[in-house]
Amino acid sequence: MRSGVLKPGDRLPTTRQLMAHYDVSETVIRFVMIQLKAERLVYGQQGRGVYVSDSAGPSR
């Protein structure tokens, strides 16, 4: 979040951190995450977090 650039494999900040940083509601963060996942730009790992996909999408 500091540099504004995330690389494939980088973990995204938590929902709470994103809410505080961007001063938006949890609903907004959830909506954006759904969009990013639909576009295969990020992927989630149950209990571990959300990560930036590589250009080909997640291999999972």
Side-chain angles (χ1 to χ4, degrees):
M1 249 170 36
R2 290 184 191 111
S3 69
V5 178
L6 295 173
K7 298 177 289 299
D10 285 350
R11 184 173 177 215
L12 272 60
T14 66
T15 298
R16 268 189 213 282
Q17 290 170 328
L18 291 169
M19 288 169 53
H21 181 79
Y22 292 105
D23 193 28
V24 296
S25 70
E26 183 175 2
T27 303
V28 170
I29 299 299
R30 288 185 186 274
F31 177 78
V32 170
M33 288 298 175
I34 289 168
Q35 295 297 335
L36 292 172
K37 286 177 183 177
E39 294 178 28
R40 298 181 58 134
L41 297 173
V42 299
Y43 62 94
Q45 290 185 341
Q46 186 72 23
R48 299 195 73 203
V50 178
Y51 297 83
V52 177
S53 299
D54 62 21
S55 58
S59 60
R60 288 146 196 68

